[in-house]
Amino acid sequence: MTGQKARMLAGELYRADDPELQADALRAADLLHTYNHSTPGDAAGRRALLEELLDEVGADVEIRPPLHADYGYGIRIGTGTFVNVGAVMLDVARITIGADCQIGPNVQLLTATHPLEPVARRAKWESAEPITLGDNVWLGGGVIVCAGVTIGENTVVGAGAVVTTDLPPNVVAVGTPARVIKDLPRD
């Protein structure tokens, strides 16, 4: 592992133009191309591609193409989760999706971030912070989850919301930025 990949995985500033990271991104792009153009009836073939691409994929996970990711190896998805079309998972840092989650169409999970300082940003430095979704989270269509966010179990995020800070378990959140509007009953 090169210094830049180690820096990325440690959550430090790194440069994505590193040859090892570029090779990892190309590997993911090739697997995603095959997955995104696979035959809908080939469940076993699609499953094999997800197992090769992702760090962990639980039983009975369904991801409807197209799926977009940076590397794939930073993504863990729990059992019974459904991901609708057009998901973008920028897994520069770890993305952990719990069991039995519902991810609406065109949801974006964006771990990547960039320096605010213009000189560092112009020099192509970047970093990332992990995203975690608890079990049974439902993200409506078009939700954007920003770097460093954790969403607690059973929480529902309304369509089009932009989640910039952590959300507790068992709530409904909507808006830009997302804000809690309702508590949900606990099972």
Side-chain angles (χ1 to χ4, degrees):
M1 182 181 332
T2 65
Q4 294 302 312
K5 183 174 180 177
R7 291 175 65 95
M8 181 189 84
L9 294 174
E12 300 172 4
L13 286 173
Y14 75 98
R15 299 264 319 237
D17 59 0
D18 174 74
E20 183 178 14
L21 288 173
Q22 288 182 335
D24 289 351
L26 180 59
R27 173 191 169 276
D30 285 343
L31 287 168
L32 286 163
H33 177 80
T34 303
Y35 184 80
N36 290 335
H37 293 88
S38 63
T39 303
D42 184 12
R46 282 185 170 183
R47 174 73 189 194
L49 287 165
L50 288 177
E51 288 177 353
E52 187 174 351
L53 175 68
L54 305 179
D55 181 44
E56 184 179 315
V57 56
D60 300 319
V61 166
E62 181 179 353
I63 301 176
R64 291 195 177 161
L67 168 65
H68 303 282
D70 280 328
Y71 302 107
Y73 53 63
I75 301 170
R76 294 179 179 165
I77 302 177
T79 299
T81 288
F82 173 78
V83 179
N84 213 323
V85 299
V88 175
M89 300 185 190
L90 300 187
D91 62 316
V92 178
R94 171 76 57 206
I95 295 174
T96 303
I97 300 171
D100 300 309
C101 292
Q102 300 290 319
I103 310 295
N106 300 311
V107 165
Q108 300 177 49
L109 305 177
L110 310 175
T111 68
T113 187
H114 302 275
L116 296 178
E117 300 78 21
V119 173
R121 194 170 58 252
R122 189 173 291 119
K124 307 300 183 214
W125 288 102
E126 55 188 87
S127 63
E129 298 176 36
I131 291 173
T132 302
L133 307 182
D135 293 344
N136 201 34
V137 165
W138 174 19
L139 302 180
V143 166
I144 298 173
V145 180
C146 294
V149 167
T150 295
I151 299 176
E153 67 179 357
N154 302 318
T155 287
V156 176
V157 180
V162 178
V163 186
T164 59
T165 59
D166 292 353
L167 294 174
N170 303 298
V171 299
V172 175
V174 299
T176 303
R179 66 195 181 289
V180 174
I181 61 164
K182 179 179 179 178
D183 290 326
L184 294 173
R186 298 176 188 266
D187 290 338

